[in-house]
Amino acid sequence: MWRGSSTGGSQGAAMEGTSGELGGQGNWGLEDGPGLLARASLPIMPAWPLPLASSALTLLLGALTSLFLWYCYRLGSQDMQALGAGSRAGAVGGRPGGCSEAGRPSPGRSGESGEGPRTEGLMSRRLRAYARRYSWAGMGRVRRAAQGAPSSGGGPGVLGIQRPGLLFLPDLPSSPFVPREAQRHDVELLESSFPAILRDFGAVSWDFSGTTPPPRGWSPPLAPGCYQLLLYQAGRCQPSNCRRCPGAYRALRGLRSFMSANTFGNAGFSVLLPGARLDGRCGPTNARVRCHLGLKIPPGCELVVGGEPQCWAEGHCLLVDDSFLYTVAHNGSPEDGPRVVFIVDLWHPNVAGAERQALDFVFAPDP
């Protein structure tokens, strides 16, 4: 066998060690073939250091995550221009009873301007504040309501007879009268409290003659022949009236769906004198139903909601969606006495828990 040039062994060994590893032109013999083949079969190691590749991948994933979160934030907090400012009390002034909207026109009624646009801007700002504190989850209908979006059926109202003045929650199943089963617990609780509530009314009642100012706790008549005593007004408890009506207050505390922390929530006694009539009224929102507990129902009393006639019965509850046009009348004689009902605002049964929480935040009573 030949060994290349006649240089020294140590120089040949050095050359073999260097040139062989680096793939240079060394001095090899046939006996070196197995070693060369073994070297050629070694796996090729990547030139990119593994720690550096892992760091780059981590940075890329972080950037993609940040981009996704930014996109979600922008999607969830789409701003709409505030169309005006309004005070909270002016924006959601709703009161119980057939005479609640009789004292003044509904702000959002068709053909009228003013409170509707201001309330839209105010609600949108408060809803964004709620989402920043909590979440946009389950807020689809509430967001559309804040933006004034119509329902999938083409717009607010059913054949033009449903006209909530301030808040229309789209795609909410609606009918002028709601089945008792939708609020069974609260209906049964109020009906079982009928004797106590009737006693409370007797304790605070007066002659309703109109010749003297109303006694303490009674509101001035918002319309001729229409009086009310409120235990809750616009989501705020009236302590003096609650102390005078312990049975009614105890019943309210036991309700599950009472709008007690919302400016749409009211509760109290509604009195309609003979000859009084209220035509073409609408409540402020379709997110609630009004529970009417009949206390004193003389002959000749009339209730028409959304074109459907109904009547109260003493000791029984009637669930009314007052976002529909309604008419209340007492066609009886003066000898029959007043019509008296105890009215409580309950959440509409199809308003979800997340939506209730958001609307309680948006329409929270003034401190």
Side-chain angles (χ1 to χ4, degrees), residues 217-260:
W218 286 89
S219 303
L222 299 178
C226 181
Y227 297 90
Q228 56 188 4
L229 184 141
L230 303 176
L231 278 67
Y232 278 80
Q233 181 176 13
R236 294 176 60 89
C237 178
Q238 307 299 306
S240 61
N241 290 343
C242 289
R243 284 193 294 267
R244 299 169 64 196
C245 304
Y249 178 70
R250 191 178 305 111
L252 292 176
R253 298 291 293 176
L255 300 178
R256 294 177 179 174
S257 55
F258 175 37
M259 301 177 77
S260 60

Side-chain angles (χ1 to χ4, degrees), residues 11 28 40 47 98 154 159 171 177 182 216 221 230 262 286 310 315 322:
Q11 184 178 357
W28 301 306
L159 301 177
D171 301 328
F177 295 96
R216 179 174 59 92
L230 303 176
N262 193 299
N286 65 330
Q310 277 282 2
D322 71 335

Side-chain angles (χ1 to χ4, degrees), residues 131-221:
R132 286 194 296 269
R133 181 177 298 185
Y134 300 103
S135 170
W136 284 105
M139 293 297 103
R141 289 192 301 194
V142 179
R143 288 180 61 192
R144 291 168 58 194
Q147 296 166 358
S151 67
S152 61
V158 179
L159 301 177
I161 59 175
Q162 187 182 22
R163 304 174 186 175
L166 297 176
L167 172 68
F168 179 78
L169 202 60
D171 301 328
L172 192 65
S174 299
S175 61
F177 295 96
V178 179
R180 292 165 47 90
E181 291 73 18
Q183 299 286 7
R184 178 179 294 275
H185 174 271
D186 290 351
V187 165
E188 291 180 349
L189 177 60
L190 287 170
E191 290 180 347
S192 65
S193 303
F194 166 72
I197 297 175
L198 184 60
R199 283 195 302 271
D200 288 344
F201 174 76
V204 298
S205 180
W206 56 298
D207 60 3
F208 302 106
S209 62
T211 58
T212 59
R216 179 174 59 92
W218 286 89
S219 303

